[in-house]
Amino acid sequence: VSLILTPHHGQLEERLAEQESYVVVLDATSGAVVRTEELNGVILGQGLTNGSLAVETARAYYPAGDGKGAVTVYSLTDTSAAPASFATDQWLIGIDDGALLLSPQSLAAERRDEMPVTLTRVDTRGRELGTIEGVTAPDLKHWERPKQHQ
């Protein structure tokens, strides 16, 4: 289980890139803390694979342009290992069979027009593994893969 802890600061808008937050990973069975990371910037997304925690941060509320989005991947099996990081202009929106899923739009976007997007599957170093086409976000809670024709 991964939790984002963001302390409340006054005048936060003026110093988004300096915002300090924490991500804590807990063992779902025992409740023990597996890893804690202090991060600077706005946390845009996170995901857990069997062996790693991926967190996307930016200098703004978006990853593209001057938002300077970056995904940092931390090992959950070797907590002394240095994290891997890669730049991205897309949104980290989840995990698919151990791969990170990046989207050109945020799930939290206000506009819901059922416009399908193509998600990019990447490994924990940012290398593209493939795409999933025709994915929609009918509400603020989830993405839906295209329906399979029988």
Side-chain angles (χ1 to χ4, degrees), residues 41-58:
V42 179
I43 296 177
L44 299 179
Q46 67 170 330
L48 288 172
T49 68
N50 286 338
S52 60
L53 163 69
V55 182
E56 182 177 22
T57 57

Side-chain angles (χ1 to χ4, degrees), residues 2 4 43-50 52-56 71-73 86 88 90-108 117-124 126-127 129-130 132 135 137 141-145:
S2 178
I4 298 172
I43 296 177
L44 299 179
Q46 67 170 330
L48 288 172
T49 68
N50 286 338
S52 60
L53 163 69
V55 182
E56 182 177 22
V71 174
T72 304
V73 181
F86 61 91
T88 184
Q90 296 195 46
W91 300 82
L92 173 64
I93 56 100
I95 304 293
D96 178 57
D97 196 25
L100 307 178
L101 291 176
L102 301 178
S103 170
Q105 83 179 43
S106 167
L107 182 63
V117 298
T118 298
L119 302 182
T120 304
R121 298 177 76 244
V122 299
D123 67 12
T124 56
R127 292 183 293 251
L129 301 172
I132 305 171
V135 178
K141 297 177 185 169
H142 68 285
W143 292 94
E144 288 183 2
R145 289 178 184 253

Side-chain angles (χ1 to χ4, degrees), residues 34-49:
V34 175
R35 185 159 194 145
T36 301
E37 290 298 328
E38 180 179 342
L39 303 163
N40 289 320
V42 179
I43 296 177
L44 299 179
Q46 67 170 330
L48 288 172
T49 68

Side-chain angles (χ1 to χ4, degrees), residues 3-115:
L3 304 170
I4 298 172
L5 307 172
T6 304
H8 174 71
H9 295 291
Q11 301 173 340
L12 185 58
E13 292 295 324
E14 295 176 10
R15 47 192 193 99
L16 285 175
E18 299 172 17
Q19 177 179 326
E20 295 170 349
S21 299
Y22 297 87
V23 176
V24 179
V25 178
L26 304 173
D27 181 296
T29 305
S30 68
V33 174
V34 175
R35 185 159 194 145
T36 301
E37 290 298 328
E38 180 179 342
L39 303 163
N40 289 320
V42 179
I43 296 177
L44 299 179
Q46 67 170 330
L48 288 172
T49 68
N50 286 338
S52 60
L53 163 69
V55 182
E56 182 177 22
T57 57
R59 294 182 178 183
Y61 290 112
Y62 49 88
D66 60 356
K68 298 189 185 291
V71 174
T72 304
V73 181
Y74 302 92
S75 173
L76 297 178
T77 55
D78 181 3
T79 56
S80 65
S85 185
F86 61 91
T88 184
D89 61 355
Q90 296 195 46
W91 300 82
L92 173 64
I93 56 100
I95 304 293
D96 178 57
D97 196 25
L100 307 178
L101 291 176
L102 301 178
S103 170
Q105 83 179 43
S106 167
L107 182 63
E110 292 179 24
R111 203 166 123 244
R112 285 276 157 279
D113 58 8
E114 295 287 328
M115 180 86 135

